[in-house]
Amino acid sequence: MTASPARSPTPLVALSGVTKSFGAVRALGGVDLAIGPGECLGLVGHNGAGKSTLMQILAGTLHHDEGTLVAGGAPTGAFSVGAAHDAGIRCVFQELSLCPNLSVAENTRLRHPGLKGFGWRQPAGALIEATLSEIFPGHTIRPDDLVADLELGERQMVEIAMNFTATGDRPRLVILDEPTSSLDHSVAAQLLAHVRRFVAAGGSVILISHILGDILGTSDRIVVMRDGRVVAERPAAQFDRAALVAAMGHVAETAPETAAAAVAEARPADRPIVEARPPRQRGARSLTLYPGQIVGLAGLAGHGQTALLRLIQNAAGSTSRFAKVEGSVAFVAGDRQADGVFPLWSIGQNVTIRSLAALSRFGLIDGRRERAVEEAARETFQIRTPDMDDNILTLSGGNQQKALFARALASDAAIIAMDDPMRGVDVGTKREVYARIAEEAEKGRAFLWYTTEFDELLNCSHVYVFRSGEIVADLPRGELTEEKVLQSSFEETADA
């Protein structure tokens, strides 16, 4: 870790006794927090711990109920978005805020109103292109690309770059809420290296992540939140992974990260329920999935993994030149806002929508059975809500993702397709989900699991590596190593 400048005695931002409630739910219960110039503060805690709420207060998108907020040495009342911007605070929220129907350059102009006048497109495009290249060298994003046409990871890269871009006032504090959740390993490493450069130059960063290695390797100081309060705070060097997990609390005693590795590696005797090949595939290599298998899809983000999952989902119950699928498919989206949640519906309705046929009698939904499914989901996945009738958007991002898992696993689908589904999910919930996946696989359910985290591939019984829209490596569980995955992801010729 690069040494950062000595911290100023005057904090850039300081909060004292800050509280926030949403109806009966107390999201923050009196938080004290300060960050000075030239430091990276790591903020961790389970889903619903209050991290994102606290950051929204710092960004001015929410007003706190009680307590004080001091920015630049001056106390503030209702901290607005404008006041936060004037204080040099920028925030990359977990749920991205780009306009999908506009280009990258047009989104940049919206975020930076100083880009105006005749011919603004060229300087806007040049500005975002320069920042993208500084943070993510080798990227392929163009200023005139439509945001809707970008992969989720590319959209995340654009939003990150826009918040580090300076027009007029330079950013002084950049809040990154789960910034690497949709980035593959190499791109995430580029971002974290830029964070250290930004901090070494005197900037400040609040880094929120459930990827504990990112927190431990990048932060100067770590704050742990639980149930809306700060429960631990000390220099990062005084934490290790075990200490962080212990401070967070509520981690399943069972199911280590590799719980699903107990699934048999040998190919079952049954015939495959999925046979598929990417449309761009050259040669005879294809993907097969058997009942009870957990098959991983690896490689750099945006290289055809999600497209193949969609192809398989669409091929269920129909005819396709590229896929043969026997059985129904339930899909767990990584981009929950675009492909996952129904934002106008309740939490319970979002959970049960995939199971309505099984919950109906004579064409009418059995309310008692529906409630039973909802309550089972809340208990199994520890969805933090006082009422499953509340709107799905009242949940934190990680709890929304829990609801999507519950929807898929409550269905009768024989195949579960998961598109990098652990985005924004805490370590305790991950372990619980891994264990549940292993249990379902033992009962004969099959899983297709695209992930950008190598550790999650260790839960798979077989892994296919993708590059440029093709399967370039086929790795049984016993041959899986991070080195082989990375080599196959980058090399022009991959081993079979």
Side-chain angles (χ1 to χ4, degrees), residues 85 107-117 120 167:
H85 191 274
N107 271 276
T108 303
R109 188 194 185 195
L110 287 179
R111 195 67 60 89
H112 297 279
L115 295 167
K116 56 186 177 181
W120 60 266
T167 52

Side-chain angles (χ1 to χ4, degrees), residues 128-284:
I128 191 63
E129 170 68 24
T131 308
L132 279 166
S133 296
E134 179 185 1
I135 303 174
F136 306 109
H139 73 91
T140 58
I141 302 168
R142 297 174 302 178
D144 58 350
D145 283 341
L146 195 66
V147 165
D149 294 336
L150 299 178
E151 298 283 347
L152 177 59
E154 292 175 320
R155 281 179 267 156
Q156 196 154 23
M157 292 163 66
V158 169
E159 181 130 2
I160 290 167
M162 284 198 299
N163 282 278
F164 277 105
T165 297
T167 52
D169 295 336
R170 299 188 63 84
R172 301 176 65 196
L173 168 62
V174 179
I175 302 167
L176 300 173
D177 193 351
E178 299 292 346
T180 63
S181 60
S182 297
L183 305 181
D184 60 54
H185 179 78
S186 60
V187 177
Q190 290 177 335
L191 170 62
L192 298 179
H194 180 76
V195 166
R196 291 310 313 170
R197 293 194 298 270
F198 181 75
V199 169
S204 300
V205 171
I206 297 179
L207 176 63
I208 304 173
S209 180
H210 291 303
I211 302 175
L212 301 187
D214 290 354
I215 292 290
L216 291 166
T218 309
S219 305
D220 299 302
R221 181 165 53 103
I222 297 176
V223 169
V224 182
M225 292 186 67
R226 186 167 67 235
D227 299 326
R229 296 179 180 275
V230 173
V231 296
E233 177 182 357
R234 53 183 185 265
Q238 296 181 16
F239 279 104
D240 58 18
R241 183 183 176 87
L244 264 184
V245 170
M248 290 164 63
H250 178 62
V251 175
E253 295 295 331
T254 59
E257 281 83 345
T258 56
V263 176
E265 297 177 23
R267 177 170 294 173
D270 313 49
R271 67 180 184 181
I273 54 176
V274 174
E275 295 177 273
R277 61 192 306 272
R280 297 174 61 181
Q281 187 72 42
R282 293 170 293 182

Side-chain angles (χ1 to χ4, degrees), residues 210-424:
H210 291 303
I211 302 175
L212 301 187
D214 290 354
I215 292 290
L216 291 166
T218 309
S219 305
D220 299 302
R221 181 165 53 103
I222 297 176
V223 169
V224 182
M225 292 186 67
R226 186 167 67 235
D227 299 326
R229 296 179 180 275
V230 173
V231 296
E233 177 182 357
R234 53 183 185 265
Q238 296 181 16
F239 279 104
D240 58 18
R241 183 183 176 87
L244 264 184
V245 170
M248 290 164 63
H250 178 62
V251 175
E253 295 295 331
T254 59
E257 281 83 345
T258 56
V263 176
E265 297 177 23
R267 177 170 294 173
D270 313 49
R271 67 180 184 181
I273 54 176
V274 174
E275 295 177 273
R277 61 192 306 272
R280 297 174 61 181
Q281 187 72 42
R282 293 170 293 182
R285 185 178 277 133
S286 62
L287 176 149
T288 57
L289 177 70
Y290 289 78
Q293 273 195 322
I294 303 171
V295 168
L297 310 184
L300 301 180
H303 279 246
Q305 302 94 328
T306 298
L308 188 65
L309 289 179
R310 288 295 190 193
L311 187 154
I312 290 169
Q313 181 189 32
N314 294 334
S318 63
T319 302
S320 169
R321 290 189 300 148
F322 304 105
K324 180 181 178 182
V325 181
E326 296 183 7
S328 57
V329 178
F331 194 88
V332 183
D335 188 356
R336 53 183 166 265
Q337 295 306 311
D339 302 321
V341 302
F342 293 92
L344 300 181
W345 291 8
S346 70
I347 304 163
Q349 288 171 323
N350 269 273
V351 168
T352 59
I353 180 62
R354 184 63 175 74
S355 306
L356 291 184
L359 298 175
S360 300
R361 297 184 62 186
F362 309 113
L364 298 175
I365 298 173
D366 186 327
R368 287 187 300 177
R369 295 175 66 193
E370 184 181 28
R371 284 292 182 188
V373 171
E374 293 175 7
E375 290 305 313
R378 175 161 66 170
E379 182 177 346
T380 299
F381 289 93
Q382 295 295 300
I383 299 174
R384 293 175 61 90
T385 179
D387 193 339
M388 293 293 281
D389 284 333
D390 287 349
N391 183 272
I392 186 73
L393 298 184
T394 63
L395 297 178
S396 67
N399 277 281
Q400 290 178 34
Q401 201 68 24
K402 293 180 189 181
L404 298 187
F405 271 113
R407 176 199 298 171
L409 295 183
S411 73
D412 60 355
I415 303 158
I416 309 294
M418 305 190 299
D419 185 19
D420 206 10
M422 300 298 185
R423 182 169 174 257

